[in-house]
């Protein structure tokens, strides 16, 4: 790996493209480097993971909306939509839109946290959709996905968007464009232009994850993937992009991020170096914000020491800056303490999440968010007693560059009314690659079967699992096998409103 310094240059300098971050990203994408076997196996795990949560969310309203929009764009030799018979094809950008929303809806797939946030599994739906439409091989798909992960992870390491309240999908547009460049074996120049277009069109603010959080939280990554596909298509036709998009005088860094005097350092693989960043990412055992994963595990343990939850005086969670200010009381969002809040908001409230996990001793992707669960009197009372605090020790652990030492948990102090204190801490979620029970292939398959058993037949489940685990050997036109058809009774979902499409 090599770190590249990224800074703003005045227009009169006419910075050579070879020295621009977008071009260096394109060089990585166009480098036919050898495949790391562990990384390739992890691609398969994450395709299984994405399918799990996409099918589990099939009937939810945002997913239904996205799917209905996609179904209005049929294409004879297009891409498949999760849940729909594989003989039916649709424009790849709309398939990516539907599938990306389905993957994101439950907030239950993989994550990578560093200088910024990300869900790198969001790269998979658009890259898979294009691979199906272009009749790519399974090996081509693996290479494309590895590039998508590589670029997104390293952008997240080097450039913080959150401090400027820019949503993390601004790193997803370029990573998808790069991944598509690898998939389609495009030349460096075309990928360079596409990366810049994709960034330029996918910048939005973090209001989508602030206050009263709406369903757009699920749509946003799918939208970025769709726009990246369109950017690549334009550039394959010979169109160019605003440049330099990172270093220009009126660029993203100069006008939206840290300004003309800023310097960022982005690590990227050198020529011929295998793309292994996917191995630094981690999936979720629980359907909640990743920074809540370890704290849910901790709540399950700490509850064993409490006989009467009504005797709790207060609960303090000492944690990282990001956890405190994004999903904790430091966000100053009253909605995070509101029993009538949306599922998306509750997913971003560690106070709610810890209260439920402490009471129930588990976490369920649907039951834990039901309105009646959020309004349970004892839960509301406990919820209001929880407050978070930033601890610089945990902030430092959060940003540790060694993936084995990164921590996203915290220390919890439960004060009882009789003066007794119950204290414990957990830095790494149990399912993390460096946790107590790291997720392996069998865990991904177990998660898939658990989440999809009520939606698909057993034969369809086994067919998909066999196909995806044979991904390396899938030939051109066989990637449709990565689709999953839900049961007929599940498919019959009525349109609620008349729309344009």
């Amino acid at each position: 790996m090599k770190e590249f310094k990224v800074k703003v240059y005045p227009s009169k300098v006419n910075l050579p493209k070879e020295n621009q971050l977008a071009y260096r990203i394109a060089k990585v994408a166009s480098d036919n480097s050898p495949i790391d076997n562990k990384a390739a196996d992890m691609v398969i795990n994450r395709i299984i993971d994405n399918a799990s949560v996409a099918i589990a969310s099939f009937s939810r309203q945002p997913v239904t909306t996205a799917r209905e929009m996609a179904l209005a764009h049929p294409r004879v030799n297009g891409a498949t939509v999760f849940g729909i018979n594989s003989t039916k094809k649709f424009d790849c950008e709309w398939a990516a839109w539907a599938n990306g929303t389905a993957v994101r809806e439950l907030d239950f797939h993989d994550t990578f946290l560093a200088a910024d946030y990300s869900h790198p599994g969001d790269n998979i739906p658009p890259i898979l959709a294009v691979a199906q439409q272009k009749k790519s091989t399974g090996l081509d798909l693996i290479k494309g996905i590895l590039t998508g992960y590589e670029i997104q992870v390293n952008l997240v390491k080097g450039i913080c968007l959150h401090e400027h309240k820019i949503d993390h999908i601004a790193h997803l547009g370029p990573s998808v464009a790069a991944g598509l460049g690898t998939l389609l074996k495009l030349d460096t120049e075309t990928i360079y232009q596409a990366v810049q277009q994709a960034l330029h069109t996918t910048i939005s603010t973090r209001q989508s994850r602030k206050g009263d959080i709406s369903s757009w939280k699920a749509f946003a990554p799918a939208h970025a993937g769709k726009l990246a596909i369109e950017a690549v298509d334009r550039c394959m036709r010979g169109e160019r992009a605003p440049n330099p998009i990172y270093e220009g005088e009126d660029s993203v860094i100069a006008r939206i991020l840290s300004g003309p005097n800023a310097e960022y350092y982005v690590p990227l693989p050198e020529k011929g170096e295998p793309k292994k960043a996917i191995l630094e990412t981690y999936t979720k055992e629980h359907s909640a914000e990743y920074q809540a994963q370890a704290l849910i595990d901790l709540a399950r343990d700490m509850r064993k020491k409490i006989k009467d939850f009504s005797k709790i005086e207060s609960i303090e969670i000492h944690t990282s800056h990001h956890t405190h200010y994004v999903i904790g009381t430091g966000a100053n969002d009253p909605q995070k303490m509101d029993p009538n809040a949306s599922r998306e908001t509750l997913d971003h409230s560690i106070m709610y999440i810890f209260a439920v996990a402490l009471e129930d001793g588990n976490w369920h992707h649907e039951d834990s968010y039901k309105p009646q669960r959020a309004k349970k009197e004892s839960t509301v009372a406990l919820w209001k007693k929880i407050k978070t605090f930033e601890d610089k020790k945990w902030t430092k652990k959060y940003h540790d560059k060694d993936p084995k030492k990164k921590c996203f948990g915290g220390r919890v102090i439960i004060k009882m009314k009789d003066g007794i204190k119950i204290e414990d801490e957990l830095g790494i979620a149990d399912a993390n690659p460096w946790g107590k029970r790291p997720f392996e292939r069998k865990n991904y398959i177990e998660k898939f079967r658990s989440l999809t058993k009520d939606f698909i037949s057993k034969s369809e489940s086994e067919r998909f699992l066999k196909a995806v685990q044979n991904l390396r050997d899938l030939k051109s036109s066989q990637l449709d096998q990565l689709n999953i058809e839900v049961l007929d009774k599940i498919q019959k979902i009525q349109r609620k409103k008349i729309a344009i499409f």
Side-chain angles (χ1 to χ4, degrees):
M1 298 293 285
K2 181 178 180 181
E3 275 197 335
F4 292 96
K5 183 167 76 171
V6 187
K7 61 188 290 284
V8 174
Y9 293 85
S11 296
K12 63 183 179 181
V13 170
N14 195 22
L15 182 67
K17 65 184 178 184
E18 291 78 11
N19 296 334
Q20 297 175 24
L21 177 59
Y23 194 82
R24 287 164 172 162
I25 289 172
K27 291 285 285 185
V28 172
S30 59
D31 179 21
N32 189 26
S33 56
I35 294 178
D36 179 86
N37 288 332
K38 289 184 178 180
D41 284 343
M42 189 59 74
V43 168
I44 293 171
N45 290 343
R46 298 306 167 76
I47 292 175
I48 294 171
D49 204 43
N50 274 17
S52 304
V53 296
I55 295 301
S57 69
F58 185 86
S59 301
R60 294 182 62 81
Q61 182 57 37
V63 179
T64 302
T65 295
R67 184 170 59 251
E68 287 178 343
M69 295 174 75
L71 297 186
H73 298 273
R75 182 190 182 100
V76 175
N77 294 311
T80 62
V81 169
F82 272 133
I84 304 301
N85 188 291
S86 296
T87 61
K88 298 179 179 179
K89 307 290 178 61
F90 307 90
D91 287 333
C92 63
E93 69 271 31
W94 285 101
W97 165 252
N99 294 340
T101 303
V103 164
R104 197 69 187 84
E105 165 65 8
L106 292 176
D107 207 345
F108 204 179
H109 67 327
D110 67 15
T111 304
F112 179 75
L113 304 170
D116 210 79
Y117 320 106
S118 68
H119 296 281
D122 293 335
N123 284 277
I124 295 175
I127 296 173
L128 174 57
V130 172
Q132 289 178 335
Q133 183 162 306
K134 297 296 290 183
K135 301 295 183 286
S136 301
T137 67
L139 192 58
D140 290 336
L141 177 61
I142 288 172
K143 291 179 179 179
I145 290 172
L146 286 175
T147 292
Y149 271 79
E150 191 71 38
I151 299 308
Q152 188 169 24
V153 164
N154 288 307
L155 285 173
V156 169
K157 287 179 179 179
I159 300 176
C160 182
L161 304 169
H162 171 73
E163 66 177 309
H164 303 287
K165 308 310 176 189
I166 299 300
D167 199 17
H168 58 248
I169 65 166
H171 287 329
L172 179 62
S175 66
V176 171
L180 292 174
T182 298
L183 172 79
L184 300 174
K185 302 179 178 67
L186 302 180
D187 62 87
T188 305
E189 178 65 23
T190 301
I191 302 172
Y192 162 63
Q193 298 295 346
V195 165
Q196 295 187 107
Q197 278 203 24
L199 172 58
H200 189 68
T201 59
T202 55
I203 295 171
S204 60
T205 72
R206 280 192 63 86
Q207 190 59 44
S208 58
R209 301 166 205 280
K210 177 75 173 173
D212 182 13
I213 303 175
S214 74
S215 60
W216 182 251
K217 183 167 74 76
F219 288 115
H223 188 233
K226 180 175 180 290
L227 292 177
I229 292 173
E230 293 169 351
V232 171
D233 182 77
R234 283 192 296 271
C235 294
M236 289 175 70
R237 298 173 190 273
E239 301 303 329
R240 299 173 67 249
N243 75 87
I245 196 63
Y246 287 103
E247 299 91 349
E249 196 171 272
D250 289 330
S251 65
V252 172
I253 291 175
R255 300 300 178 186
I256 296 173
L257 300 184
S258 290
N261 297 318
E263 290 185 355
Y264 292 100
Y265 293 86
V266 177
L268 289 172
E270 298 194 74
K271 184 174 177 60
E273 185 178 351
K275 301 175 179 70
K276 300 190 292 185
I278 191 172
L279 297 175
E280 296 184 46
T281 65
Y282 20 82
T283 195
K284 296 178 178 180
E285 183 178 5
H286 315 294
S287 178
E289 168 72 32
Y290 193 82
Q291 294 163 96
Q293 301 292 302
L295 290 168
I296 291 173
D297 293 336
L298 184 58
R300 290 191 303 193
D301 290 338
M302 294 186 76
R303 75 183 305 274
K304 300 170 186 175
K305 303 174 184 178
I306 303 169
K307 294 180 180 179
D308 187 346
F309 292 102
S310 68
K311 303 297 184 183
I312 294 175
E313 178 71 31
S314 65
I315 299 177
E316 296 179 0
I317 300 176
H318 296 262
T319 186
S320 67
H321 174 93
H322 280 26
T323 306
H324 173 56
Y325 284 104
V326 175
I327 63 173
T329 51
N332 292 316
D333 291 339
Q335 297 88 350
K336 285 181 169 52
M337 307 298 288
D338 183 359
N340 296 303
S342 66
R343 183 193 192 281
E344 292 83 3
T345 301
L346 296 177
D347 166 62
H348 277 56
S349 171
I350 191 56
M351 292 73 68
Y352 173 75
I353 292 168
F354 193 84
V356 172
L358 196 64
E359 278 194 322
D360 295 355
N362 59 34
W363 192 263
H364 190 270
H365 66 283
E366 289 184 340
D367 295 346
S368 297
Y369 290 108
K370 286 181 177 177
Q372 58 267 39
R373 184 68 195 78
K375 294 175 184 178
K376 186 177 177 181
E377 189 174 338
S378 62
T379 301
V380 174
L382 186 59
W383 184 359
K384 305 297 183 184
K385 296 176 182 178
I386 301 174
K387 190 172 182 180
T388 66
F389 300 85
E390 180 188 358
D391 184 326
K392 294 189 183 302
K393 177 185 74 173
W394 287 99
T395 298
K396 184 178 179 180
K397 289 181 177 183
Y398 184 108
H399 290 291
D400 199 305
K401 292 186 177 182
D402 184 346
K404 297 179 182 179
K405 296 179 180 178
K406 274 181 174 290
C407 290
F408 307 113
R411 181 166 188 80
V412 174
I413 303 171
I414 300 176
K415 297 179 180 179
M416 307 302 290
K417 291 180 179 178
D418 61 6
I420 293 175
K421 289 183 181 181
I422 301 171
E423 301 183 43
D424 205 351
E425 66 179 50
L426 184 63
I428 301 173
D430 292 347
N432 187 280
W434 296 279
K436 294 178 185 176
R437 307 180 270 98
F439 255 43
E440 299 174 348
R441 176 68 55 80
K442 64 181 181 180
N443 301 108
Y444 287 96
I445 290 175
E446 181 183 351
K447 181 177 176 181
F448 173 82
R449 287 176 172 152
S450 173
L451 290 178
T452 64
K453 59 184 173 61
D454 295 331
F455 291 85
I456 65 177
S457 67
K458 186 175 181 180
S459 60
E460 181 70 349
S461 174
E462 296 309 310
R463 181 205 61 75
F464 168 77
L465 289 171
K466 181 179 179 180
V468 71
Q469 292 181 86
N470 191 41
L471 181 59
R472 279 177 177 266
D473 298 322
L474 291 185
K475 296 178 173 57
S476 177
S477 79
Q478 290 186 313
L479 292 185
D480 294 354
Q481 295 178 26
L482 301 184
N483 189 39
I484 302 171
E485 184 175 352
V486 301
L487 299 169
D488 288 343
K489 64 179 181 180
I490 306 291
Q491 281 201 28
K492 295 175 181 177
I493 298 172
Q494 298 298 316
R495 183 188 298 273
K496 291 190 174 181
K497 294 182 180 179
I498 301 298
I500 293 173
F501 297 125

